[in-house]
Amino acid sequence: MKVYKRTENGVTTNVSIREGLAEVERADREFDTLGIRSRSSKGSTHFIEYGDGRKVLFELTEVPDVKLTDAMKDTLRKLNSGEVVFADASTWRALERRGLITANTAPWEPMQGTRCLYMLTDAGREAAAGTTPVEDAPQEHTAPKPVTPKGRKCLEYVRRAGRPVPLAELSKAGFNGNTVNSIDGCLRFRPEPYIQRTPAGYVLSDLGRRELSR
């Protein structure tokens, strides 16, 4: 299967073709709004230089199209439901090579080096939709899932920023994958997210603004 290899300032992750093209098209569509310094394409390779200094290169690449193992399915299911996931390194690498998860790294503490935060890509969420056992399938709800205290702090951080906040920045600020998953609408039983993911980062949704005005 084909995915885009996305390299931002030397850090490379695999993203689905849909996600890659969405970021490229948004850069073209909102060139001035996003403060794009330069934008170029050659065939299926695309380059974006943002006004904040980020340089992003998209290269189309082929990854092994192998069947999902039980461990891979279980990992996707747990990520999709916001659970804490403990999996071996080979499982994470296999999912990342397939473009089903993306690894976002951010400096943590000098003595602790770099921490890695895995999140589902759009392709990963689609794949996860078919991995939930019937007996474990969440029930549909008509009301949004309540925000945890940590989730509210994350919402407040995004509001204070007043701009799209990249996942790596949220990670550096102390908000892990489970916290972000709990408010970004990736859980299939939540009808509306509190924050929305854009190519430039996370922004508050209308529901998120209403939550913070309480």
Side-chain angles (χ1 to χ4, degrees), residues 17-166:
I17 292 178
R18 181 169 60 181
E19 286 181 293
L21 291 180
E23 183 170 354
V24 170
E25 290 169 0
R26 183 166 186 260
D28 289 337
R29 189 174 59 252
E30 302 179 32
F31 192 93
D32 294 328
T33 305
L34 296 175
I36 305 296
R37 292 179 181 174
S38 64
R39 225 319 260 130
S40 61
S41 294
K42 184 176 182 180
S44 59
T45 300
H46 310 282
F47 175 78
I48 306 170
E49 182 177 2
Y50 288 95
D52 58 9
R54 289 180 296 132
K55 296 181 180 180
V56 182
L57 177 66
F58 290 94
E59 299 173 287
L60 198 62
T61 186
E62 188 80 30
V63 296
D65 191 10
V66 296
K67 292 183 178 180
L68 294 176
T69 65
D70 289 341
M72 293 164 67
K73 291 179 181 178
D74 188 56
T75 298
L76 289 175
R77 179 178 65 81
K78 288 180 178 178
L79 281 175
N80 197 44
S81 63
E83 297 179 46
V84 176
V85 184
F86 297 95
D88 57 57
S90 61
T91 298
W92 293 119
R93 286 196 297 269
L95 291 172
E96 188 176 6
R97 284 196 300 269
R98 287 173 59 83
L100 300 178
I101 61 174
T102 179
N104 296 270
T105 56
W108 197 2
E109 297 293 341
M111 297 299 292
Q112 297 171 309
T114 300
R115 65 175 172 176
C116 190
L117 177 66
Y118 284 102
M119 300 289 288
L120 291 174
T121 63
D122 286 345
R125 293 178 185 185
E126 291 174 4
T131 63
T132 305
V134 174
E135 62 272 21
D136 293 337
Q139 300 297 313
E140 291 293 330
H141 294 289
T142 56
K145 186 179 179 181
V147 178
T148 63
K150 188 74 171 181
R152 187 176 181 85
K153 288 182 179 179
C154 187
L155 290 177
E156 292 171 346
Y157 184 93
V158 174
R159 180 174 64 178
R160 286 197 303 271
R163 54 173 172 75
V165 181

